[in-house]
Amino acid sequence: MKNSNDSLILSIDHGYGNIKTANKTFSTGVYVSDTEPAFKDNLLTWNGKYYTIGEGHKEFVADKIQDMDYYVLTLAAVAYELRARGLREAKVHLAAGLPLTWLTAQKEAFRSYLLQNKEVEFSFNGIDYRVEFTGADIFPQGFAAIADRIHEFSGTNMLCDIGNGTMNVMLINEKKPENRRCFTEKFGTQQCVIQAKEDMMRTHHATVDESVITRVLRFGKADIADEFLETITKSAKNYVAEIFRNLREHGYDPRMMRLTVVGGGGCLIKNFADCDKSRITVIDDIRATAKGYERLATRQQKRSGNK
């Protein structure tokens, strides 16, 4: 969609484990070098430096503007979206988000961070891009995934957004979010990965790659020995039990409310939760929040008079 400034509205979900756009998901890993690396896959060149994108993931930080990593990742995300449209040059209006309880305090700083350069020229995967940033809207993370169907949330509902770094919780009563009952905790899926690695070392004296653990978390299985799978599965079940303990501390009662889970951690609820899942809805689309940002930004543009 374009607004009245003839700008493309591009949405980006700046996760700790993955960057998500409406059409692309890639890891938050960023490795910077002053010299051109031998392997040029996912190589972004900007401002005289070389950035290899997508190797590993970014360490959890409470403030995403403390270094240039998320800015470089934003450029890569924009490049992916422009390439999908056959473009190398464009005006871009960004739609992004922040964890629920951080939004008010960090929104303006994050917007300024994303718009720190009005015009940017860079290359990604051997293609040169020229982008003019015309604006940015910042929305509540997680809520964006269900905002277009908030009318379905009658009665009492709890929304739980489980990402790599954080878990965000929101109470929704009769289709209206309760601002005073929003919570953000450092309890994302990376905590489960860390615990699984420790359990593997303690139980089997074995080091396991994170990709193996991630496969078990996503699909409930992996091509590993049964005793290893059993250990990782036990770690995942313990982590999910802690999720529900935290939810109960924030008022969750399955007898009185429905639970909706978004984010990458939803697969853990599906695979490892020991509970009645008939009152739990898991939104499987990992890019649901990014798509929600785009819908919210489009709606906001229309309300302000842009067609």
Side-chain angles (χ1 to χ4, degrees):
M1 186 265 186
K2 289 189 175 183
N3 61 22
S4 63
N5 294 321
D6 201 32
S7 299
L8 283 171
I9 296 177
L10 298 184
S11 58
I12 305 174
D13 182 3
H14 296 83
Y16 291 104
N18 293 291
I19 299 292
K20 285 83 67 178
T21 70
N23 301 291
K24 181 71 175 179
T25 302
F26 61 96
S27 171
T28 57
V30 178
Y31 177 76
V32 60
S33 174
D34 292 323
T35 57
E36 187 175 21
F39 299 101
K40 300 178 178 58
D41 291 342
N42 299 321
L43 181 66
L44 188 146
T45 305
W46 171 64
N47 207 23
K49 294 186 180 296
Y50 301 89
Y51 299 88
T52 301
I53 306 295
E55 294 185 1
H57 59 80
K58 186 168 175 58
E59 179 183 351
F60 175 86
V61 288
D63 192 342
K64 294 180 178 180
I65 69 173
Q66 71 174 24
D67 57 34
M68 291 300 292
D69 286 358
Y70 276 107
Y71 186 78
V72 172
L73 290 164
T74 297
L75 296 182
V78 169
Y80 277 123
E81 287 295 311
L82 292 185
R83 183 174 181 179
R85 294 165 173 78
L87 299 173
R88 297 190 180 190
E89 183 173 338
K91 293 181 179 180
V92 170
H93 184 101
L94 294 172
L98 288 168
L100 296 171
T101 58
W102 301 353
L103 183 67
T104 300
Q106 297 184 8
K107 179 169 65 174
E108 292 307 319
F110 193 46
R111 179 187 286 116
S112 297
Y113 173 81
L114 295 175
L115 300 177
Q116 60 185 275
N117 297 298
K118 182 174 177 58
E119 295 185 358
V120 184
E121 295 183 7
F122 64 98
S123 69
F124 186 52
N125 283 331
I127 299 175
D128 294 330
Y129 295 94
R130 183 177 183 275
V131 177
E132 178 184 345
F133 290 110
T134 60
D137 295 317
I138 312 298
F139 300 105
Q141 185 176 306
F143 174 74
I146 56 92
D148 64 325
R149 55 187 187 90
I150 189 69
H151 60 279
E152 300 174 6
F153 284 65
S154 59
T156 303
N157 295 265
M158 177 171 280
L159 174 67
C160 181
D161 175 18
I162 308 172
N164 183 269
T166 61
M167 182 176 78
N168 293 277
V169 179
M170 170 186 283
L171 263 292
I172 301 173
N173 268 320
E174 293 298 342
K175 310 170 187 178
K176 294 182 180 180
E178 294 195 6
N179 289 324
R180 292 181 298 177
R181 299 185 71 183
C182 295
F183 310 93
T184 299
E185 297 188 16
K186 184 186 174 182
F187 197 64
T189 58
Q190 185 61 19
Q191 298 298 313
C192 181
V193 173
I194 292 171
Q195 187 59 55
K197 292 176 71 173
E198 292 180 355
D199 291 343
M200 283 290 294
M201 178 58 69
R202 182 177 63 253
T203 305
H204 306 288
H205 307 292
T207 301
V208 59
D209 191 86
E210 286 193 9
S211 63
V212 175
I213 298 175
T214 299
R215 175 164 288 277
V216 175
L217 301 186
R218 289 183 62 190
F219 304 109
K221 59 184 179 180
D223 187 15
I224 55 177
D226 289 344
E227 60 266 30
F228 293 167
L229 178 61
E230 182 180 349
T231 296
I232 297 173
T233 297
K234 182 178 179 181
S235 301
K237 288 183 175 181
N238 289 338
Y239 168 75
V240 171
E242 283 297 301
I243 287 177
F244 281 95
R245 184 185 66 80
N246 287 338
L247 293 180
R248 288 192 296 272
E249 288 182 351
H250 294 310
Y252 175 61
D253 186 336
R255 300 169 300 177
M256 298 182 182
M257 63 186 66
R258 292 188 176 274
L259 175 66
T260 298
V261 182
V262 302
C267 59
L268 278 82
I269 303 299
K270 292 181 67 174
N271 294 331
F272 305 108
D274 183 16
C275 63
D276 177 9
K277 298 177 185 176
S278 64
R279 294 176 61 79
I280 300 175
T281 299
V282 176
I283 298 178
D284 293 315
D285 186 357
I286 194 174
R287 296 194 287 274
T289 293
K291 294 173 182 177
Y293 293 155
E294 188 168 311
R295 288 191 295 267
L296 289 172
T298 300
R299 186 184 309 168
Q300 190 162 289
Q301 292 289 318
K302 289 180 178 179
R303 286 176 177 172
S304 65
N306 292 323
K307 304 298 183 183

